[in-house]
Amino acid sequence: MSDLRVRCPLAWSTAVLALLLPSLAPTAAAQSTDDYRERVERLDARLERIRQEHTRAVGADTLPGDLDTLRVGPIRLLAPQPARRFVQAVAERLRDSLRLTVRGDSLFLPSLMYLIRPSRRGLAPFRFEGVGGWVYGDQDSPGREPDSPDHVASGLLGMLRGSAAQSLDSTMRRWLEGSLPLDTLTEIQAHTVYIELATKPLAVSGACYAGQLDRCREALAVGTGGAEAWYTDEERRQLVASAMAWHRGVQRDPGARLCATTGDEPACTEILQTYPNLVQEPLSPMARQTLVRVAFESGGEGAFGRLMTGDSLALPDRLARTAGLPVDSLIARWHAAIIAARPAGTVLSRAGGWTAFLWVVVLGVLAMRGTRWRIQ
């Protein structure tokens, strides 16, 4: 038993606390609010000490002795001396990303700790681990390119986004598909969403592309929505008909066959209500995340904190509070930023046109002189 306590301090201490808490519950009602808060704070402090002891116990055999610690907001990067310059470059890139969005609101982010050290096998210069286990890929795979500071910083930022999203309420977390943006809108992101908006074969996305901002609100699933708001009658019929090719429940449902063959509106509505997983938001999670990025840019200082503390608000109000302006104005800014990312067209001058025409004639004559085109 003593060996078990040494090996698993976190599990042992948690079990002890789990046994003690029921016995403490009856006395809590008789305590004042301040006493109860103080008691909870003491328990939190004790759990934090247990967590730190567990971290030290787990990492004792794996951590190098000479480590430097670099802090970037809530992230602690542990670096042995050979990796120090590399980790400093990673920290600078992380700091630049977080400075533009999170700014002074890093207290709303989870605390994370990672170790970056030279690879044991020497096939890549650095190996990126969490204390006690792998976190970021396998750096020891033959043929793999060495990680750059940008690559590692991007991976860290991705893990931080996923961890931060867990602090959101279920509605916001689902709307963002479990990834909270921590960077500002980039040209590549805007360009990608532009292509999606311009090519998505849905009436609502086409109307949004044309500048109908109320339809953009529906396409981004901001506020009330669902199949009837997002899809036309024909699009709902096609959705059910497509689901019949792979969804067994839909295949066996006579209402689905009625919807797919005749377009019966009540039948289509009933099927989509019965199988809500068939209904997806018109635009991708990336498009919705770009709206949050625009909200951060518009809201400036404190925007991130306002988003993280707006659990009691409906989604449109929460986005408006984050951006510091009405949600319709936010969507208008988003639409302008996406349309501005339209790929530049190629303008052919008159001289260029004549040059192209002459080359077509020349190449055509040369091709006709080939054996295949000669008349035997």
Side-chain angles (χ1 to χ4, degrees):
M1 180 64 70
S2 60
D3 291 341
L4 181 60
R5 294 184 187 180
V6 172
R7 293 176 186 175
C8 305
L10 180 63
W12 176 258
S13 302
T14 304
V16 171
L17 285 176
L19 292 174
L20 290 175
L21 285 175
S23 63
L24 297 174
T27 62
Q31 296 176 346
S32 67
T33 303
D34 292 338
D35 291 340
Y36 185 70
R37 183 182 295 110
E38 183 181 352
R39 193 179 190 88
V40 170
E41 290 174 352
R42 287 201 302 270
L43 287 173
D44 286 341
R46 184 176 178 185
L47 284 173
E48 177 62 21
R49 287 196 301 272
I50 293 171
R51 187 191 67 79
Q52 292 175 358
E53 291 172 3
H54 171 72
T55 299
R56 285 194 294 270
V58 171
D61 297 331
T62 60
L63 293 179
D66 184 18
L67 284 176
D68 289 330
T69 300
L70 290 85
R71 282 189 174 273
V72 183
I75 299 178
R76 281 196 299 166
L77 300 178
L78 308 180
Q81 201 59 38
R84 180 173 175 78
R85 292 183 62 185
F86 182 87
V87 177
Q88 284 178 331
V90 172
E92 289 173 3
R93 286 155 176 78
L94 275 175
R95 194 172 289 112
D96 289 340
S97 296
L98 295 179
R99 183 185 296 121
L100 296 175
T101 51
V102 178
R103 303 187 186 186
D105 295 330
S106 60
L107 71 160
F108 295 105
L109 291 174
S111 298
L112 302 175
M113 180 168 60
Y114 299 106
L115 166 67
I116 303 178
R117 65 181 178 183
S119 172
R120 292 173 182 172
R121 300 182 190 177
L123 297 178
F126 298 105
R127 151 182 212 139
F128 180 31
E129 304 175 12
V131 175
W134 286 100
V135 176
Y136 182 84
D138 183 3
Q139 302 299 313
D140 295 338
S141 300
R144 181 182 175 119
E145 291 294 325
D147 276 323
S148 66
D150 288 330
H151 191 189
V152 174
S154 177
L156 274 169
L157 199 62
M159 287 184 286
L160 187 59
R161 281 197 299 265
S163 298
Q166 299 307 310
S167 303
L168 298 170
D169 62 284
S170 59
T171 300
M172 193 72 177
R173 189 164 60 246
R174 183 187 180 282
W175 186 74
L176 289 172
E177 293 289 325
S179 182
L180 177 62
L182 296 176
D183 52 352
T184 54
L185 184 64
T186 66
E187 184 178 349
I188 293 177
Q189 292 164 349
H191 178 72
T192 303
V193 175
Y194 173 86
I195 294 175
E196 178 186 1
L197 193 63
T199 61
K200 197 91 169 188
L202 292 175
V204 67
S205 59
C208 175
Y209 176 82
Q212 298 181 30
L213 298 182
D214 57 330
R215 300 294 277 164
C216 289
R217 182 168 177 163
E218 294 174 354
L220 290 164
V222 176
T224 57
E228 294 186 2
W230 296 338
Y231 304 109
T232 64
D233 293 345
E234 175 58 21
E235 288 167 351
R236 289 197 292 272
R237 186 196 69 77
Q238 292 176 1
L239 191 62
V240 174
S242 175
M244 291 185 68
W246 59 271
H247 196 294
R248 293 185 178 181
V250 176
Q251 290 170 352
R252 293 192 294 264
D253 198 311
R257 289 192 293 273
L258 179 63
C259 169
T261 55
T262 68
D264 184 81
E265 186 176 342
C268 293
T269 300
E270 183 178 356
I271 289 298
L272 295 178
Q273 289 175 346
T274 304
Y275 303 98
N277 61 312
L278 301 180
V279 180
Q280 300 293 328
E281 292 83 353
L283 294 180
S284 67
M286 182 177 182
R288 300 194 291 275
Q289 291 164 14
T290 58
L291 180 64
V292 175
R293 290 181 169 98
V294 174
F296 286 154
E297 292 177 6
S298 301
E301 191 75 28
F304 184 78
R306 293 195 296 273
L307 178 74
M308 299 300 291
T309 57
D311 294 3
S312 61
L313 300 175
L315 180 60
D317 298 331
R318 191 168 183 177
L319 291 172
R321 180 171 180 258
T322 300
L325 46 84
V327 69
D328 291 336
S329 300
L330 171 63
I331 291 175
R333 288 193 181 187
W334 171 86
H335 182 267
I338 298 304
I339 297 300
R342 177 192 291 113
T346 301
V347 179
L348 187 64
S349 65
R350 177 174 296 183
W354 278 110
T355 302
F357 175 75
L358 290 174
W359 273 110
V360 169
V361 172
V362 171
L363 293 175
V365 170
L366 292 175
M368 292 297 290
R369 291 172 58 84
T371 305
R372 171 182 291 183
W373 298 101
R374 292 177 183 172
I375 299 176
Q376 302 295 330

